[in-house]
């Protein structure tokens, strides 16, 4: 049985060192004053420090461990620094590789629920893959889950600074892989709100956009997908701050996500997620109904296809 499982003194002392908690001669616990060490430490910081310790004890560098696991060196570094959550299946693999007798697996399983979905934006795709429900508001592009291959390739070709051809293809493959969510059982509940201007975009080859709109129309017929269009003429608009995504995890934890230039944010604080949910609720009331949205897209497609 490990020190972690037992809650033994070496592990407890290690936690106190990281959190800045010390005891005086009477046994009372004190928190070190600001300026000395007042950094908020989560379970992921502790688990990451444990991983770094086990790796070094096994005589491995970060690049060597990354190579054995088939991941990038930055992934190992992020986990050891507590900036990235250690997933359960990865913890099990690491325990076997580092011969740590399930120490990391137990640690991950014991992470408190309120810390389980820390705000690590790079993990959003993993949360999306297993989501029970997902609500997505988009202002400029067809959402990634609803994109055709040609449309996705067009979008990535607009990236600046320009991407290499190989990188574009890698990103297209990753995006299409995310769409397996639509084939998953049990089916997730998916809801999208799209700005009407997206439907009239003239990016790239017109044929690419026509095929994309046809695909979007087919998605409207899926029983677990709802799509609403936000009309260009609306007296009030709750989405002026930009796109947002809300999702519900399998254990019914709510998360919010937003992308900006050069950065993205994943929100796990209940107050922040609640504010985003209220915003999304208002957007739904301001958008066209599902039926009106279908009629609008049908009319647009009839006009486009009539031109060919």
């Amino acid at each position: 049985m490990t020190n972690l499982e037992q809650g033994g003194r070496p592990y407890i002392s290690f936690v106190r060192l990281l959190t800045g908690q010390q005891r005086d001669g009477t046994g009372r616990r004190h928190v070190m004053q600001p300026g000395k060490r007042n950094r908020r430490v989560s379970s992921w910081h502790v688990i990451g420090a444990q991983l770094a310790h086990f790796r070094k004890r096994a005589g491995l560098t970060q690049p060597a461990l990354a190579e054995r696991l088939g991941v990038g060196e930055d992934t190992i570094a992020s986990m050891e620094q507590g900036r990235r959550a250690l997933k359960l299946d990865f913890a099990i693999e690491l325990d076997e590789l580092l011969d740590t007798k399930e120490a990391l697996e137990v640690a991950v399983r014991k992470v408190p629920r309120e810390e389980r979905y820390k705000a690590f934006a790079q993990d959003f795709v993993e949360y999306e893959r297993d989501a029970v429900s997902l609500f997505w508001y988009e202002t400029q592009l067809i959402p990634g889950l609803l994109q055709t291959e040609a449309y996705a390739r067009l979008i990535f070709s607009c990236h600046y600074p320009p991407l290499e051809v190989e990188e574009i293809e890698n990103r297209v493959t990753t995006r299409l892989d995310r769409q397996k969510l639509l084939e998953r059982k049990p089916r997730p509940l998916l809801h999208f709100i799209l700005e009407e201007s997206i439907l009239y975009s003239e990016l790239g080859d017109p044929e690419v956009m026509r095929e994309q709109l046809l695909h979007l129309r087919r998605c409207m017929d899926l029983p677990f997908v709802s799509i609403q269009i936000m009309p260009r003429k609306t007296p009030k608009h709750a989405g002026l701050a930009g796109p947002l995504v809300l999702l519900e995890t399998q254990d019914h934890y709510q998360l919010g996500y937003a992308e900006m230039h050069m950065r993205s944010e994943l929100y796990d604080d209940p107050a922040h997620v609640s504010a985003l949910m209220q915003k999304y609720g208002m957007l739904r009331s301001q958008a066209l109904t599902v039926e009106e949205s279908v009629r609008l897209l049908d009319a647009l497609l009839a006009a486009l296809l009539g031109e060919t």
Side-chain angles (χ1 to χ4, degrees):
M1 189 175 290
T2 65
N3 286 323
L4 177 61
E5 185 177 5
Q6 293 175 316
R9 184 171 299 277
Y11 178 71
I12 296 298
S13 299
F14 184 59
V15 173
R16 289 176 190 154
L17 176 63
L18 281 175
T19 58
Q21 295 178 349
Q22 300 292 336
R23 294 183 186 273
D24 59 18
T26 64
R28 290 193 295 269
R29 181 176 299 167
H30 296 272
V31 178
M32 296 175 69
Q33 297 300 314
K36 295 182 180 179
R37 193 179 188 89
N38 194 31
R39 179 170 58 89
R40 181 177 180 270
V41 175
S42 72
S43 298
W44 300 119
H45 287 97
V46 178
I47 292 173
Q50 288 280 46
L51 171 58
H53 169 72
F54 292 142
R55 172 182 58 75
K56 293 174 184 176
R57 190 181 66 178
L60 294 172
T61 62
Q62 287 183 347
L65 181 58
E67 183 178 359
R68 291 199 183 189
L69 293 169
V71 299
E73 180 182 347
D74 59 333
T75 299
I76 301 298
S78 294
M79 290 190 295
E80 291 188 356
Q81 294 165 15
R83 295 187 290 107
R84 187 184 186 99
L86 176 58
K87 302 302 179 185
L88 181 59
D89 56 349
F90 207 45
I92 294 172
E93 188 175 359
L94 282 164
D95 276 331
E96 182 176 353
L97 178 61
L98 300 175
D99 191 25
T100 49
K101 299 183 171 53
E102 301 181 353
L104 294 171
E105 176 186 354
V106 171
V108 171
R109 290 187 185 277
K110 293 296 184 179
V111 172
R113 184 177 185 273
E114 61 269 19
E115 288 190 54
R116 196 170 304 154
Y117 297 101
K118 290 302 297 177
F120 299 126
Q122 63 264 42
D123 292 331
F124 172 75
V125 173
E126 295 184 33
Y127 300 144
E128 177 190 80
R129 179 192 61 203
D130 299 324
V132 173
S133 62
L134 185 144
F135 302 86
W136 191 322
Y137 165 63
E138 189 57 72
T139 61
Q140 290 185 292
L141 303 172
I142 302 294
L145 292 178
L146 305 178
Q147 292 179 4
T148 64
E149 180 176 347
Y151 184 87
R153 186 172 288 107
L154 169 64
I155 297 308
F156 288 126
S157 71
C158 295
H159 191 280
Y160 193 85
L163 300 172
E164 297 293 338
V165 174
E166 296 79 5
E167 179 61 21
I168 291 176
E169 293 306 313
N170 287 338
R171 294 195 184 193
V172 170
T173 299
T174 299
R175 177 149 298 180
L176 296 177
D177 187 62
R178 286 172 58 190
Q179 296 179 6
K180 292 179 180 177
L181 174 65
L182 280 71
E183 304 170 2
R184 194 197 74 199
K185 294 183 180 180
R187 303 293 194 187
L189 175 65
L190 306 177
H191 186 278
F192 301 89
I193 301 175
L194 311 183
E195 287 292 332
E196 183 180 0
S197 57
I198 296 174
L199 308 181
Y200 294 91
S201 172
E202 297 183 2
L203 283 173
D205 186 341
E207 182 61 25
V208 171
M209 195 62 194
R210 280 195 291 269
E211 288 301 318
Q212 175 60 72
L213 293 179
L214 284 168
H215 178 67
L216 186 65
R217 180 62 183 85
R218 289 190 289 269
C219 289
M220 283 180 160
D221 289 333
L222 296 174
F224 57 93
V225 175
S226 298
I227 299 175
Q228 291 180 253
I229 305 301
M230 179 66 74
R232 288 178 290 185
K233 294 182 179 180
T234 179
K236 287 191 175 182
H237 199 307
L240 299 181
L244 67 93
V245 182
L246 294 160
L247 64 81
E248 179 184 6
T249 69
Q250 288 192 341
D251 58 354
H252 308 298
Y253 201 75
Q254 307 289 335
L255 297 171
Y257 178 76
E259 287 187 347
M260 295 142 275
H261 286 281
M262 306 301 291
R263 62 192 293 260
S264 56
E265 294 286 344
L266 185 64
Y267 300 93
D268 61 347
D269 181 270
H272 293 159
V273 176
S274 176
L276 293 175
M277 291 179 66
Q278 292 177 51
K279 185 187 295 287
Y280 195 88
M282 183 55 68
L283 285 167
R284 293 183 72 165
S285 70
Q286 294 170 340
L288 299 177
T289 66
V290 171
E291 293 76 15
E292 291 169 339
S293 299
V294 168
R295 289 197 292 270
L296 185 153
L297 184 53
D298 281 345
L300 176 57
L301 283 170
L304 289 175
L305 298 175
E307 295 174 358
T308 59

